[in-house]
Amino acid sequence: MNKNGTLTVVGTGIRVAGDMTINAQAQITKADIVYTLVPDKVSKQWLTRLNANTVDLTDFYGSNKSRLLTYHQMAQLLIESVTQGNNVCAAFYGHPGVFAYASHLAIRQLKTLGYRATMEPGISAEDWLFADLGIDPGKSGCLSIEATQFLFYQRTIDPYALLVLWQIGLVGDHTLSLDKTDSYQQGLNVLTDELLKFYPSDHEVIIYEAATLALFSSRIERVALTQLPNVTLTAISTLVIPPYQEAPLDKEILAKFNLTAEDINNSLAIDNK
Amino acid sequence: MTDTLVDYMLELNSNPEALAQHEANPEEAARAFGLDESDIQLIIDQDTAEIERRCDSSTTETKGLMISFFKS
């Protein structure tokens, strides 16, 4: 049996108000207290309208303070509120479980303590990216990864798949404490050099930033890979690298199915449908 | 105290009909919503920087963003 006090983590989506699910809205409205982690005044005003008893978690951010500590403090506050018997809602922008350390940490620890703690999905920046760019990640497969992790660790590039690198405006930062995106040039140069080992210099890449207001358009800036070091980046910039070419068929595997390349091509021909 | 310009942004985000009216005639739509003259001018001028400032939606600062870690 669960103890008194619950945590429900919900996402506000990227375009606040419009992106929020009906269920997320209901969870916010009925909660005893709502802890919010949203980056702008529009979102805060909307959430306060839904539930006047809101607490802004962005107060935990500090200059030159590690975000790891910040996120632990956020999670701790959520845990304390639940253990006091409150029905807590935590509203995070985007999808509350994507690039969201504090929400997962709080849920994990509360479950260990015997409390009910759940998460509702929200619309993420990646969802907007696929919609705005008209890209289906199922077509070629997709590697979606934080840019600095991609550089610092030995990862495999698949030039036949879509590559999405997040937080490109902070690429190369190991401090976890940058306040502004003004230190990415070295990281961007190194990243470009690495990508040029797998893609031609004229391969088109895209800088993407989802619009948070319907009044504005999302940023979709297409440049040749070799020009990547010259672009201006922000904290919400994402680098999208389309597949270089179609993957060749593996004839050895096809042979195990008694298939040929022609069989596959015939199946994919629209004339046969 | 709420900011009417911010309320207007919320309306455009969540009401496709309001967004269509805005796209057809921004000045008329903003005035009908009740924005004051200085805010209507921001809309007419498409003063993106000032609107973003009013909405506190800077994209160069990391405060408020769920920046993830590089650790795998």
Side-chain angles (χ1 to χ4, degrees):
Chain A
M1 185 173 159
N2 288 327
K3 298 176 182 175
N4 286 335
T6 62
L7 172 66
T8 307
V9 181
V10 302
T12 64
I14 299 299
R15 282 190 194 173
V16 70
D19 278 3
M20 194 182 284
T21 66
I22 293 169
N23 191 44
Q25 200 166 317
Q27 294 289 355
I28 292 166
T29 305
K30 76 182 178 89
D32 296 330
I33 185 167
V34 182
Y35 293 91
T36 66
L37 182 52
V38 290
D40 58 64
K41 196 169 157 186
V42 184
S43 306
K44 287 172 190 171
Q45 194 157 306
W46 169 248
L47 292 167
T48 307
R49 193 188 291 173
L50 293 176
N51 190 323
N53 193 21
T54 64
V55 176
D56 186 358
L57 291 173
T58 62
D59 291 341
F60 280 115
Y61 288 90
S63 188
N64 296 318
K65 177 181 175 184
S66 169
R67 287 188 295 279
L68 187 58
L69 174 60
T70 299
Y71 298 155
H72 270 271
Q73 290 172 333
M74 288 175 182
Q76 194 54 43
L77 182 62
L78 296 178
I79 292 164
E80 283 172 11
S81 188
V82 171
T83 57
Q84 286 165 7
N86 292 313
N87 291 313
V88 173
C89 181
F92 287 35
Y93 74 91
H95 187 305
V98 175
F99 281 32
Y101 184 87
S103 59
H104 286 295
L105 180 62
I107 287 174
R108 227 174 18 245
Q109 294 198 0
L110 281 166
K111 280 181 173 174
T112 303
L113 294 170
Y115 290 91
R116 185 172 184 275
T118 57
M119 179 183 288
E120 304 281 346
I123 293 179
S124 69
E126 188 165 68
D127 298 317
W128 271 104
L129 183 155
F130 295 139
D132 277 340
L133 298 182
I135 291 174
D136 181 347
K139 186 171 184 291
S140 60
C142 176
L143 174 61
S144 180
I145 184 170
E146 200 275 332
T148 302
Q149 180 185 141
F150 177 77
L151 267 189
F152 282 7
Y153 293 81
Q154 294 183 14
R155 307 301 296 246
T156 305
I157 288 183
D158 177 359
Y160 305 127
L162 178 70
L163 177 59
V164 182
L165 298 177
W166 298 93
Q167 299 175 184
I168 191 81
L170 296 161
V171 65
D173 171 55
H174 74 285
T175 67
L176 307 178
S177 61
L178 283 185
D179 297 328
K180 292 183 182 298
T181 51
D182 55 5
S183 310
Y184 57 77
Q185 195 60 57
Q186 183 189 16
L188 195 57
N189 293 343
V190 173
L191 176 65
T192 304
D193 288 342
E194 287 304 303
L195 293 173
L196 282 168
K197 294 175 183 172
F198 297 89
Y199 300 92
S201 59
D202 63 350
H203 188 60
E204 184 182 88
V205 301
I206 306 163
I207 307 300
Y208 175 77
E209 294 176 9
T212 56
L213 299 177
L215 187 62
F216 304 131
S217 301
S218 294
R219 177 183 177 189
I220 301 173
E221 184 179 345
R222 299 172 191 273
V223 297
L225 176 55
T226 193
Q227 294 302 314
L228 184 58
N230 302 325
V231 299
T232 300
L233 301 172
T234 76
I236 62 167
S237 298
T238 300
L239 179 63
V240 181
I241 305 168
Y244 169 44
Q245 58 188 27
E246 221 170 86
L249 285 167
D250 189 327
K251 290 178 181 168
E252 278 185 33
I253 294 292
L254 290 182
K256 292 178 181 176
F257 291 91
N258 292 320
L259 293 171
T260 65
E262 192 180 6
D263 293 326
I264 300 300
N265 291 333
N266 285 341
S267 295
L268 294 171
I270 196 133
D271 292 347
N272 293 342
K273 301 293 181 284
Chain B
M1 172 115 178
T2 60
D3 182 331
T4 310
L5 181 67
V6 172
D7 274 338
Y8 189 52
M9 296 300 120
L10 281 170
E11 181 70 3
L12 297 182
N13 268 11
S14 58
N15 183 347
E17 196 175 323
L19 182 61
Q21 286 170 356
H22 176 93
E23 287 170 346
N25 190 331
E27 182 178 352
E28 192 176 288
R31 185 163 280 114
F33 188 80
L35 295 194
D36 63 29
E37 287 306 315
S38 61
D39 286 349
I40 291 170
Q41 198 58 47
L42 291 178
I43 298 290
I44 293 169
D45 295 343
Q46 299 181 39
D47 190 342
T48 307
E50 179 58 16
I51 293 171
E52 285 182 343
R53 192 194 65 75
R54 284 277 295 282
C55 295
D56 193 20
S57 63
S58 165
T59 57
T60 58
E61 294 180 12
T62 59
K63 182 178 178 181
L65 295 177
M66 295 187 290
I67 304 293
S68 188
F69 308 128
F70 56 80
K71 190 177 182 310
S72 66

